[in-house]
Structure formats: structure tokens, C-alpha cells
Amino acid sequence: VAVPYWAHNPQAIIIQDEIFLFHIGAGLKNTTIVNCNDKTSLTPPHRQHDVKLGYIQSATNPYGPWTSIPNPPVCDNPSPWLLKNGTLLLMCSRSPVGPPGPHWRLYSAPSPRGPWTTVLEIYPSQSGMVALQTEDPFLWQDSEENFHILAHGTDFQEIDPTKRVSAHAFSLDGITWGWSAGQPYTSTIYFTNQSNITFSSAERPKLILDDFGNPTHLINGLSTTLYPCNGCLKKNITNNCNMCKLTPGLDATYTIMRFLRT
């Protein structure tokens, strides 16, 4: 175990034979473990979110021991990317400062131990082409060193997950960003027997890349509740698919990996 509960949304990179694990949740073990198979036992608050978001652990072996790196940047859902020149970039969602509304922050540092410098703030909702609420950015470069961001996107009012669950941004320099008009993936899962199922949400996207920077597999956190999301509530909106993951008794989730045909 690298980090005790509650700690989640990990992403690891290797730099000079050292593993750096970026995650959220402090792993304080200060909440009660429940049986996720028992739908009656999981009551709010069912997960830990820290005021201080973003943590980094280091180890030379996946089995540990793991050491916490001090003074990490304030960063929700961190996504690190190492440039060829050795500079480390870190994309974060829900930046703690700036104008109201969802926005991301891009940091840079000479190493995971810092010091960290803010490069820019990105405001997905200002693009006019993506959902109002866009989070969980995954940052990478393709084979031609163009920058990309894959993200979970929703307006949090939408009851149909086929309308919007994801967003894609692209950039030549990492500073000026454009946005794809369509969504890069949906929460409809296609199986080898030609059947398919539409789940309520598919969030926290991460990609597995080949040696040339081409995506081969997509990983998501997937809600087990199916569309039309019966019983998922937000205020006066019934069957709100984005809220299934927060509805007691319906909030079981798991990780899924999809092969990409490129």
C-alpha cells in the first residue's frame, strides 16, 4: 500500500529510476471503512476531500517504502507530464484562486520536489465549445510534441450522459489552447460480443500511451448505475446522471480500461 485510505485518483511518473506518485486525499485513515457491497451502509460523508489538495509520494520500488514530499502545490486531480528538457508540468483542476467558476491551473517545476511556478490558468467554460463544468484534466504530448488535455465534462444539469461526459483541448505550445467541438469519448461501453451499455458517467480519464505518444487505452472511473439513472438526484432534478456517484446506495464505482482503435 503506497498511501492509506482515503487517497485516490493516482498518477505516477518515473524520473531517473525514482517513482513519483501524485494523488489527492491525505490518506489519514480517519474515516470508517464500509462494505461497498452493502448498499445500506454507505452514507455521506463517504469519501475524504482535503482542504489542502494534492500530494506527492516517492519510492524507488513500487512496493515501497513510500516517502511524502513536502510542500506540494495546491492541486486537485493532478496530472504530471515530463518534458524532454527535464521540466515537469502539472495540470490541476479546480484551481484555488482566480475568478469564480471552474478553471484549471498549469504548474511547472525542475523536479517533483519543486519549487513550483504557476504557468497559467485555463478557463474551459470560456471556450463556448465545452461543458460549463470541466474537470479531471489529463495532460500529455503526442508524437509531434503537441499538447493535449482529456477531461471529464458536464454541465451538472444534464440528465442524458450521451450529450456530454468528456472534453478535449489541444495546444502547440501549452499556453494557447483550442477545443474540440465533439466529445472524445462517451460513457457507452462496447463489448466484444457486439453489445453495449450506457453508464451514468465516465470520469477521471487517463490514457496509456505507446512509445511514440499515441494513445492505446483509455481508463475511466465508471459509475455502476445505468442510464436513465433512476434515483440519482440533485436538488429538484431527478435522474441526474452526473449525481449517481454521490447518491447513497447508488454510488458504487469501479475502474474500466477500453482499447482504442486508432
Side-chain angles (χ1 to χ4, degrees):
V1 177
V3 186
Y5 64 91
W6 285 92
H8 46 119
N9 202 21
Q11 187 173 332
I13 59 172
I14 299 176
I15 303 178
Q16 297 179 348
D17 298 325
E18 188 171 8
I19 307 169
F20 295 93
L21 179 66
F22 293 74
H23 64 92
I24 57 177
L28 300 177
K29 299 175 66 175
N30 60 354
T31 54
T32 302
I33 296 180
V34 298
N35 180 5
C36 292
N37 293 318
D38 178 5
K39 294 184 178 181
T40 64
S41 67
L42 203 56
T43 57
H46 60 286
R47 64 178 180 176
Q48 174 192 8
H49 244 319
D50 310 279
V51 176
K52 180 177 179 293
L53 294 167
Y55 297 88
I56 309 172
Q57 315 291 330
S58 67
T60 56
N61 188 297
Y63 297 99
W66 290 88
T67 302
S68 179
I69 294 178
N71 303 315
V74 178
C75 180
D76 190 9
N77 294 325
S79 178
W81 182 260
L82 186 65
L83 298 177
K84 288 185 176 180
N85 64 8
T87 299
L88 180 64
L89 299 181
L90 185 66
M91 184 64 72
C92 313
S93 65
R94 285 195 289 271
S95 173
V97 298
H103 53 289
W104 307 338
R105 172 177 284 188
L106 180 63
Y107 291 100
S108 69
S111 84
R113 293 179 171 85
W116 295 93
T117 301
T118 299
V119 177
L120 81 162
E121 305 276 348
I122 302 176
Y123 297 85
S125 60
Q126 295 180 1
S127 70
M129 300 178 69
V130 299
L132 178 62
Q133 304 281 341
T134 309
E135 59 180 2
D136 307 341
F138 174 85
L139 174 68
W140 87 99
Q141 285 179 287
D142 62 24
S143 58
E144 298 181 355
E145 300 187 16
N146 299 304
F147 291 89
H148 298 267
I149 296 174
L150 194 64
H152 168 233
T154 178
D155 63 6
F156 290 109
Q157 307 296 318
E158 183 58 66
I159 63 173
D160 185 350
T162 63
K163 298 292 181 60
R164 174 66 68 181
V165 298
S166 64
H168 170 240
F170 51 89
S171 173
L172 293 175
D173 57 7
I175 303 298
T176 303
W177 291 86
W179 303 87
S180 298
Q183 60 176 340
Y185 70 85
T186 71
S187 60
T188 300
I189 308 301
Y190 295 89
F191 299 93
T192 55
N193 64 2
Q194 308 304 312
S195 65
N196 65 82
I197 300 175
T198 298
F199 293 84
S200 62
S201 65
E203 307 184 20
R204 294 185 175 179
K206 298 184 186 300
L207 293 172
I208 294 179
L209 309 174
D210 64 17
D211 292 339
F212 303 100
N214 300 310
T216 61
H217 296 77
L218 170 64
I219 301 172
N220 285 110
L222 192 72
S223 172
T224 57
T225 305
L226 306 183
Y227 178 73
C229 312
N230 294 324
C232 302
L233 305 175
K234 182 182 180 181
K235 295 181 179 179
N236 61 340
I237 303 174
T238 59
N239 298 355
N240 186 296
C241 288
N242 191 69
M243 299 307 295
C244 293
K245 63 182 183 291
L246 298 176
T247 302
L250 298 175
D251 52 357
T253 59
Y254 56 85
T255 300
I256 189 169
M257 179 186 293
R258 287 182 268 184
F259 172 73
L260 300 177
R261 295 180 179 177
T262 58

